Amino acid sequence: MNNGTLNKVMLIGHLGDDVKIHYFKADTCIGRFPLATNETYINKETGEKINSTEWHNIVVRNKAAEICEKYLSKGDKIYVEGRIKSRQWQAEDGSTKYTTEIQAIDFTFLTTKKENDHQKQNHVNEPKNTNFEIPKNAHPENDLPF
């Protein structure tokens, strides 16, 4: 906490795409993937069942990004803890663009296709859950190279 405030997000969802990783100088990298969370409710007026999907832009860094790229695929289910980070930039056409991301601090793989495929091929019983905590000093403020 900082000055009595808290910026914490906890999500359980499915990857909307494979992890995309980008390497920079000095052996650093950033991985990104979309995460879908779903909500189902009943419309009180019509009795209709409504399904709603919210998309979250997840960002993981360095070793965590490499682990996610290695083990996660589109459709896998993951638990993510992190913080909300908004940023803006100038597009080539001069317009200002905005994005909101979840910077992952901790995550747990709940289901992974790559792990299941690996087990089937090698007949190895690996643990289904993979926990990984990102070191607290691994993502200082303003360390994005753009």
Side-chain angles (χ1 to χ4, degrees), residues 9 22 24 33 44 47 66 70 72 98 105 116 118 127 142:
V9 176
H22 183 81
F24 303 100
F33 58 90
K44 291 181 182 180
E66 292 171 342
K70 181 177 179 180
L72 292 174
Y98 300 89
I105 295 169
N116 291 337
H118 177 74
N142 301 324

Side-chain angles (χ1 to χ4, degrees), residues 69-83:
E69 181 188 41
K70 181 177 179 180
Y71 291 104
L72 292 174
S73 298
K74 180 178 178 178
D76 289 343
K77 190 173 187 181
I78 185 173
Y79 167 79
V80 176
E81 277 188 39
R83 61 182 177 191

Side-chain angles (χ1 to χ4, degrees), residues 13-23 29-36 55-80 102 104 107-109 111-114 134:
H14 294 272
L15 272 74
D17 198 357
D18 292 340
V19 177
K20 306 290 188 232
I21 198 163
H22 183 81
Y23 287 90
C29 63
I30 290 178
R32 298 177 187 276
F33 58 90
L35 187 73
W55 288 96
H56 313 275
N57 298 312
I58 309 298
V59 176
V60 286
R61 299 179 186 284
N62 302 320
K63 186 67 175 172
E66 292 171 342
I67 289 169
C68 286
E69 181 188 41
K70 181 177 179 180
Y71 291 104
L72 292 174
S73 298
K74 180 178 178 178
D76 289 343
K77 190 173 187 181
I78 185 173
Y79 167 79
V80 176
I102 306 301
F107 54 84
T108 302
F109 300 163
T111 61
T112 61
K113 290 179 186 173
K114 287 182 183 177
I134 300 168

